[in-house]
Amino acid sequence: QVQLVESGGGLVQAGDSLGLSCAASGLALRSFHMGWFRQAPGKEREFVSGISAGGDTIDYADSVKGRFTISRENARNTVYLRMNTLKPEDSGVYYCAATFLGSWPLQRTNIKYWGQGTQVTVSS
């Protein structure tokens, strides 16, 4: 059974930093492109960042470029998202996502596996 388990969310103030982790089980992470999406109340789930299976290609939403950093450790079956200079508009539930090779860039419609999400709240 495939599981993606996010951790690291929480309540922070604007300008603070936060790190998210996604631990995968039941699959070999090296065979999947990985990414992060987020969803704010009343809004659609949106792409935040993606990283290719080998880690050589990375993509970010314009709204987080220069502030967020995605990385992965295939040996640990873990993906990370480092979030700096957080803004209130970064608040939402952050979901880890996995998609098959050949499905790049990551889009909400081509995700094979989703995590359960972790809440990030940024106060002003």
Side-chain angles (χ1 to χ4, degrees):
Q1 181 181 359
V2 174
Q3 279 193 310
L4 301 177
V5 180
E6 302 95 336
S7 61
L11 172 63
V12 297
Q13 293 187 332
D16 285 352
S17 298
L18 203 58
L20 305 182
S21 298
C22 170
S25 60
L27 57 79
L29 205 68
R30 64 182 179 276
S31 298
F32 290 84
H33 300 317
M34 300 295 295
W36 293 90
F37 288 71
R38 66 188 181 190
Q39 187 167 18
K43 295 188 176 181
E44 287 191 348
R45 193 171 297 186
E46 64 176 3
F47 170 79
V48 174
S49 181
I51 184 167
S52 61
D56 54 325
T57 302
I58 288 176
D59 194 18
Y60 295 102
D62 287 343
S63 59
V64 306
K65 279 181 182 176
R67 300 188 297 121
F68 289 14
T69 303
I70 191 171
S71 60
R72 63 190 295 160
E73 285 189 84
N74 287 344
R76 292 177 179 264
N77 253 24
T78 304
V79 179
Y80 307 95
L81 185 68
R82 181 65 183 174
M83 304 182 293
N84 295 328
T85 320
L86 282 161
K87 305 175 181 180
E89 52 263 43
D90 293 318
S91 297
V93 178
Y94 281 69
Y95 296 91
C96 181
T99 191
F100 292 122
L101 303 183
S103 296
W104 185 271
L106 272 70
Q107 300 177 40
R108 185 163 43 91
T109 54
N110 67 13
I111 298 302
K112 176 63 176 176
Y113 301 110
W114 291 100
Q116 84 288 349
T118 185
Q119 179 70 46
V120 172
T121 303
V122 185
S123 64
S124 57

